[in-house]
Amino acid sequence: MSNLVKHDGAAVAKELQAVAQQYLTFVLAGEMYAVGTISVKEIIEYGQLTTVPMMPSFIRGVINLRGAVVPVIDLGARFGGKQTEIHRRTCIVILEVIQDQDTQVIGVIVDAVSEVLEIPINDIEPPPAFGAKIRTDFIAGMGKVNGKFVILLNVGQVLSVDEMSTLAAIGTGSAIAEQ
């Protein structure tokens, strides 16, 4: 009986791997990116941002999300580019990031949210070794959609609280003072 259960579990796991995962796609600096919908909490209109002094350029400030202070990250600046310009379609995607058994709620500024796509696992290629405009460890894979590639972000790496804290400390000079 237990062999039957193990076999069924393996078959279900195999079917789940073949099933397409859903991704929220968005545009940033003319490129199409995507994050797994499982990490997306909500999408809100850009606004009501409070800037925090002495933060690195990729941390645009914080918002009050139903009483909770949520840091807002500028992905364009986080990727090493220029700060995202605010337009009519600019919005903030609220993401839940799980790191070391802690859940962090972080907002990211994007130029525009596009749509939710289902991308079969067979249509996802590994990240390129070079040639990407962002660090390769920020890329979970390259999804093929209608003959084009969508950059699937590794949210845990892009929004690593430990790394951003280190960068913030360097930006304020406190890392040097600690040495």
Side-chain angles (χ1 to χ4, degrees), residues 22-94:
Q22 290 189 330
Y23 293 90
L24 174 71
T25 60
F26 57 89
V27 177
L28 183 67
E31 295 284 338
M32 183 71 80
Y33 295 91
V35 294
T37 55
I38 196 154
S39 62
V40 177
K41 191 171 177 186
E42 63 185 284
I43 302 165
I44 60 174
E45 187 177 334
Y46 181 86
Q48 305 295 324
L49 195 70
T50 302
T51 57
V52 179
M54 305 197 51
M55 286 286 122
S57 63
F58 64 84
I59 300 177
R60 291 287 281 264
V62 296
I63 57 171
N64 180 348
L65 187 65
R66 291 180 289 283
V69 177
V70 176
V72 177
I73 308 300
D74 184 333
L75 280 183
R78 176 77 173 123
F79 294 160
K82 60 181 182 180
Q83 285 197 338
T84 303
E85 293 182 26
I86 307 304
H87 300 283
R88 187 175 55 85
R89 295 190 63 198
T90 302
C91 55
I92 299 172
V93 179
I94 306 295

Side-chain angles (χ1 to χ4, degrees), residues 19-26 33-40 113-121 123-124 140-143 145 150-155:
V19 172
Q21 291 185 333
Q22 290 189 330
Y23 293 90
L24 174 71
T25 60
F26 57 89
Y33 295 91
V35 294
T37 55
I38 196 154
S39 62
V40 177
V113 170
S114 299
E115 61 185 322
V116 174
L117 295 174
E118 287 190 7
I119 303 175
I121 196 113
D123 287 344
I124 297 175
M142 304 293 290
V145 178
V150 175
I151 301 169
L152 308 178
L153 292 177
N154 180 348
V155 173

